[in-house]
Amino acid sequence: MSTQNARLAARVADLANATVLCIGDIMLDHFIAGAVDRISPEAPIPVLRVTGETVMLGGAGNVVRNLSGLGAKTCFISALGDDAPGRDITSQLTALRGVDSSLHVEDGRTTGVKIRYSAVGQQLLRVDRETVHPVGEACARTLVDRCLAALPNCGAVVLSDYGKGVLTEAVIRPILEKAAALGIPVVVDPKGRDYTIYHGAAVVTPNRRELADATGMPTTTDNDIVAAARFLAGHCSIPHILATRSEDGMTLVDANGSVLHLPAQTREVYDVSGAGDTVVATVAAALACGLSLPEAAALANVAAGIVVGKSGTAAVTAAELVDALHHRDIGHAEARILDLPRTADLVRGWKQAGLRVGFTNGCFDLLHPGHLSLLRQARTRCDRLVVGMNSDDSVKRLKGDDRPIQAESARAAVLATLELVDAVVIFDEDTPLKIIETLLPDVLVKGADYTIETVVGSKVVLGAGGEVFLATLEPGQSTTRTVNRLREKA
């Protein structure tokens, strides 16, 4: 591991000591996934057969989800409507660890909801229900009063501006002035073309398109980005611009002219929506616990690389951040070895993208052609394959004290190198039932020496509308038989 990565990984635990004030536009993100098998007879449009729905916090709410995932404490302030989505938001915020919410219900405001319909990872349609007008004078005063009261107990501030009316200049200005007086850095996820309203912020984080809109300048090349960011910093008296550039990474430019290019992390990209929320949350939490802005930006770049590998408005966790910093130098294979919570998060993203998820399990003590045949057959039934692997203790209970031959770390590392396998999760129980109940795979695969009724988890998968597939066995292939032959020869 590089020195910088080791230093950043060691500081991730400090994020739990951060307290961040976040104010901005909150909404619900509603994802409806399905399959398209036919065209409607009523009009030339696809018919979506719904297979799953997910509702999660969006907008500034996704910033809060990320702060909570990183372990930081959050004081969250926003306005919403007196409606069912508003009550759903309140409930979801209450369930987040370390979040103290202060939500003002404004008469006449509709809580924002974005509904996205997709099939096989392709978004078909987005429907927005929302109010897009500035909060009233009374609401603005309430929001400002609550922010000013919370500021002295916070180490950083996030202004999450989605242009829906919460962050008016009347709200922004007193917060920036009080934060400056207290020496508290303010991180802004901006909206619109006039960034002078953010004067006094420590750093503003436009994406490539927002930077072009705000400056009227090209943002295609590295030099374009730097020139536009310098112009914006000088014109709006903002000391630092952190330009997020999707597949090209991020660029940090300060008003004095220094430039730091952070290349994107190489990984499979499912969805870039919400990555900006992850960036501002990570930068703010890092600044709140004493990291420098270049360090905070580097950490945010790694975090963004994690969430683009998920589907929908996703959040990053401190554990994922540490793993990513370690695995960046180790390689992609070991990054596939995950614990159950992270595997579940990955599976949710795959399912939201309309991908079919398969699961199989075993000890995989000495990998042989029978194992490879099982994995190949399993992969033909799904788009992504999760493999559950018995821990050393589990193998001993099942096979005897002289097993396993290979330690669990070695067995998992070998499995993770196979392109057939997308995730490996180790379990300590005698069976993978807990994993199956958590992941609810679309297809459960075991060898044909079982019957569907005797496959562990078959009732769970079938009850959820999934499939159990019995793979053809390779004659004469088993680890036990191999071990016995070796003993005979010895």
Side-chain angles (χ1 to χ4, degrees):
M1 181 188 296
S2 69
T3 302
Q4 182 190 31
N5 287 356
R7 185 170 59 252
L8 290 175
R11 293 302 303 273
V12 170
D14 294 340
L15 300 180
N17 300 320
T19 300
V20 177
L21 168 64
C22 177
I23 178 171
D25 303 291
I26 192 166
M27 59 196 73
L28 278 179
D29 281 336
H30 189 176
F31 298 91
I32 301 177
V36 174
D37 305 314
R38 61 195 179 96
I39 300 298
S40 171
E42 303 165 1
I45 56 173
V47 176
L48 181 70
R49 177 170 51 82
V50 175
T51 58
E53 296 188 42
T54 306
V55 179
M56 60 183 65
L57 296 171
N62 194 43
V63 177
V64 178
R65 286 179 63 224
N66 277 274
L67 287 166
S68 178
L70 292 169
K73 299 177 185 66
T74 309
C75 176
F76 178 59
I77 296 170
S78 189
L80 39 67
D82 183 12
D83 47 31
R87 289 185 284 276
D88 196 350
I89 284 173
T90 301
S91 176
Q92 291 203 34
L93 286 169
T94 301
L96 290 177
R97 184 185 61 180
V99 176
D100 180 15
S101 300
S102 180
L103 304 175
H104 182 75
V105 176
E106 185 180 38
D107 292 339
R109 179 164 289 272
T110 299
T111 304
V113 181
K114 297 184 185 297
I115 308 172
R116 297 171 175 89
Y117 297 86
S118 64
V120 199
Q122 178 65 49
Q123 191 173 136
L124 304 176
L125 176 69
R126 193 179 98 180
V127 178
D128 292 358
R129 298 192 185 110
E130 60 189 3
T131 296
V132 184
H133 63 70
V135 294
E137 187 177 333
C139 180
R141 281 199 304 270
T142 298
L143 296 177
V144 169
D145 289 345
R146 292 176 182 179
C147 286
L148 298 186
L151 261 173
N153 299 314
C154 298
V157 178
V158 172
L159 303 182
S160 180
D161 195 347
Y162 274 78
K164 307 304 180 186
V166 168
L167 289 174
T168 63
E169 188 167 4
V171 172
I172 292 172
R173 183 49 41 202
I175 296 171
L176 287 171
E177 291 174 354
K178 180 68 175 289
L182 295 173
I184 298 171
V186 178
V187 182
V188 180
D189 190 359
K191 201 70 174 177
R193 289 183 167 86
D194 182 12
Y195 284 23
T196 59
I197 63 172
Y198 305 127
H199 165 61
V203 57
V204 175
T205 64
N207 61 33
R208 190 195 302 268
R209 179 182 54 77
E210 289 167 340
L211 182 60
D213 288 346
T215 61
M217 299 171 66
T219 55
T220 304
T221 68
D222 286 358
N223 289 337
D224 289 343
I225 293 284
V226 172
R230 283 176 173 163
F231 171 82
L232 192 63
H235 178 68
C236 302
S237 299
I238 297 171
H240 301 95
I241 306 296
L242 179 60
T244 58
R245 305 169 57 190
S246 190
E247 70 278 2
D248 293 326
M250 299 159 65
T251 298
L252 178 64
V253 178
D254 70 31
N256 296 323
S258 67
V259 176
L260 174 64
H261 289 298
L262 297 164
Q265 305 308 303
T266 303
R267 64 181 298 143
E268 192 169 12
V269 176
Y270 287 111
D271 196 338
V272 298
S273 63
D277 301 326
T278 299
V279 169
V280 292
T282 307
V283 169
L287 293 177
C289 63
L291 271 71
S292 68
L293 183 53
E295 289 174 323
L299 203 58
N301 192 45
V302 176
I306 295 169
V307 297
V308 298
K310 304 179 182 182
S311 181
T313 44
V316 68
T317 67
E320 288 173 326
L321 205 47
V322 171
D323 278 356
L325 288 162
H326 284 288
H327 290 314
R328 190 191 302 179
D329 295 315
I330 294 172
H332 180 62
E334 288 193 27
R336 295 175 180 167
I337 304 171
L338 306 169
D339 61 15
L340 183 54
R342 279 170 281 178
T343 305
D345 193 42
L346 196 60
V347 167
R348 277 193 296 272
W350 288 336
K351 287 186 176 183
Q352 286 174 10
L355 300 175
R356 182 174 167 85
V357 178
F359 177 84
T360 191
N361 69 279
C363 299
F364 299 98
D365 197 357
L366 295 175
L367 202 64
H368 54 67
H371 289 137
L372 293 176
S373 175
L374 172 72
L375 295 172
R376 285 194 193 100
Q377 292 178 69
R379 189 54 191 266
T380 64
R381 311 295 294 192
C382 60
D383 301 302
R384 297 291 182 268
L385 178 62
V386 178
V387 176
M389 192 194 77
N390 297 73
S391 70
D392 288 348
D393 288 343
S394 177
V395 174
K396 285 185 186 299
R397 291 194 300 271
L398 296 173
K399 304 289 186 179
D401 289 339
D402 59 344
R403 298 281 297 276
I405 305 299
Q406 300 276 359
E408 63 188 52
S409 58
R411 291 183 284 127
V414 171
L415 281 173
T417 63
L418 301 176
E419 289 302 315
L420 297 166
V421 176
D422 297 288
V424 178
V425 56
I426 301 170
F427 61 94
D428 199 43
E429 300 83 6
D430 290 346
T431 76
L433 183 59
K434 179 182 176 182
I435 299 177
I436 294 167
E437 290 174 336
T438 301
L439 302 184
L440 288 179
D442 299 298
V443 58
L444 177 60
V445 180
K446 286 295 287 184
D449 50 341
Y450 288 82
T451 64
I452 288 179
E453 292 75 21
T454 59
V455 173
V456 171
S458 61
K459 290 183 180 178
V460 173
V461 173
L462 292 172
E467 172 195 4
V468 178
F469 173 71
L470 301 180
T472 304
L473 297 178
E474 287 286 316
Q477 297 292 337
S478 83
T479 300
T480 299
R481 198 170 288 182
T482 301
V483 170
N484 288 339
R485 283 200 299 267
L486 289 172
R487 285 173 179 163
E488 289 170 3
K489 291 181 179 180

